């Protein structure tokens, strides 16, 4: 920790082990971003991010990278929700995520929810690059405030590129100080859980998914490439997870 907050980084590299499975030659984490390999299934390796500290707090800078090589399959989750909290420093916190999936690689990025507690200020930046024949399932879930609590300020930007082409680049800002209308009928409409699911599969290029609504608070939107975006809002985290899980099931898991 420094006078400008905690600095922490984690890095995962997955590659084929030559026997039909996945090896993890790099599995490095520090401070609040401890990494643990858990039991996988088949050719897939699984990693859990285990929070060893509270946060991120004001002024903290967290970063995590995952690189999946050709022929490797990696699933990454987290042991618990991440809670953005206010700290002694008034500066905003930052959480950077960088994901790279090579041709023939597969990544399932399925962390638990990010909770924006009252008084916090967090900027999340997620950048994903997928090769032409790469496969991706990415889930983001954000909960605005704990039970009966006003949210903090949360800004989240997600960029997804496939074969060097940008398919998605969007930013959402919620909470005190965010642009007006974030909680209005055209955006969250009073809901306190918001999430999205991005699925990239080569077969979507020739068998595109049809745009449709999933109930009242979720929509499936095909992107301009082999990818699909599911956007959802819900009254709480439990319902949001149910909606996104159902959407993933409709897309073939």
């Amino acid at each position: 920790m420094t006078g400008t907050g905690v600095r922490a980084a984690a890095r995962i590299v997955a590659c084929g082990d030559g026997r039909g499975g996945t090896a993890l030659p790099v599995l490095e984490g520090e401070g609040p971003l401890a990494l643990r390999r858990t039991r996988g299934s088949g050719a897939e390796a699984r990693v859990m991010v285990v929070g060893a500290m509270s946060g991120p707090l004001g002024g903290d800078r967290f970063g995590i990278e995952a690189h999946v090589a050709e022929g490797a399959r990696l699933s990454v989750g987290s042991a618990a929700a991440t809670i953005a909290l206010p700290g002694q420093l008034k500066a905003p916190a930052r959480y950077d995520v960088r994901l790279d999936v090579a041709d023939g690689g597969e990544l399932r990025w399925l962390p638990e929810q990010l909770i924006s507690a009252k008084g916090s200020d967090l900027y999340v930046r997620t950048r994903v690059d997928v090769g032409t024949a790469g496969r991706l399932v990415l889930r983001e879930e954000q909960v605005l405030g704990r039970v009966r609590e006003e949210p903090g300020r949360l800004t989240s930007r997600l960029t997804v590129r496939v074969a060097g082409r940008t398919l998605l680049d969007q930013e959402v800002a919620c909470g005190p100080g965010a642009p007006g209308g974030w909680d209005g009928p055209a955006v969250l409409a009073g809901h306190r859980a918001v999430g999205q699911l991005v699925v990239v599969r080569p077969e979507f290029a020739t068998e595109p998914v049809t745009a449709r609504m999933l109930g009242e608070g979720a929509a499936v939107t095909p992107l301009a490439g082999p990818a699909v975006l599911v956007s959802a809002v819900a009254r709480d985290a439990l319902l949001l997870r149910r909606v996104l899980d159902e959407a993933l099931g409709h897309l073939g898991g």
Side-chain angles (χ1 to χ4, degrees):
M1 180 171 179
T2 70
T4 56
V6 174
R7 300 291 188 270
R11 186 166 179 259
I12 307 166
V13 175
C15 60
D17 64 4
R19 303 186 301 274
T22 299
L24 299 176
V26 178
L27 192 63
E28 302 172 343
E30 58 187 10
L33 297 176
L35 302 177
R36 300 288 183 270
R37 181 166 188 170
T38 61
R39 185 182 297 275
S41 61
E44 182 183 77
R46 292 183 180 174
V47 174
M48 297 293 290
V49 181
V50 181
M53 299 169 58
S54 297
L57 308 177
D60 290 352
R61 297 290 185 272
F62 293 176
I64 185 166
E65 297 181 8
H67 303 269
V68 182
E70 181 179 358
R73 296 179 60 193
L74 174 66
S75 177
V76 179
S78 56
T82 297
I83 305 179
L85 296 165
Q88 293 182 345
L89 298 174
K90 300 304 180 183
R94 186 177 180 101
Y95 201 137
D96 289 299
V97 178
R98 186 74 173 87
L99 310 175
D100 289 292
V101 185
D103 286 349
E106 181 174 345
L107 172 63
R108 295 174 64 85
W109 186 263
L110 302 169
E112 294 301 308
Q113 298 91 355
L114 170 62
I115 300 172
S116 174
K118 183 178 180 180
S120 64
D121 187 353
L122 175 64
Y123 181 82
V124 181
R125 180 74 168 96
T126 302
R127 289 169 289 183
V128 188
D129 278 283
V130 183
T132 303
R135 303 172 75 87
L136 169 76
V137 174
L138 178 146
R139 182 183 68 211
E140 287 190 340
E141 298 170 310
Q142 294 147 357
V143 180
L144 306 180
R146 293 168 289 193
V147 178
R148 291 185 290 276
E149 177 187 66
E150 291 299 312
R153 170 72 181 267
L154 176 62
T155 305
S156 176
R157 183 174 178 180
L158 171 63
T159 304
V160 178
R161 302 195 306 171
V162 176
R165 179 186 177 193
T166 300
L167 303 188
L168 178 68
D169 191 358
Q170 68 177 24
E171 182 171 285
V172 177
C174 304
W182 66 270
D183 201 23
V187 189
L188 296 187
H191 295 89
R192 283 295 176 265
V194 57
Q196 53 195 355
L197 185 72
V198 178
V199 181
V200 177
R201 291 182 182 150
E203 55 266 33
F204 288 163
T206 54
E207 302 173 10
V209 174
T210 302
R212 64 185 185 276
M213 296 296 296
L214 295 175
E216 295 183 359
V220 177
T221 305
L223 301 177
V228 173
L229 170 68
V230 179
S231 302
V233 295
R235 65 175 180 269
D236 57 40
L238 183 62
L239 181 57
L240 178 66
R241 175 65 60 84
R242 187 181 307 155
V243 169
L244 293 179
D245 283 349
E246 290 177 357
L248 185 57
H250 288 313
L251 293 171

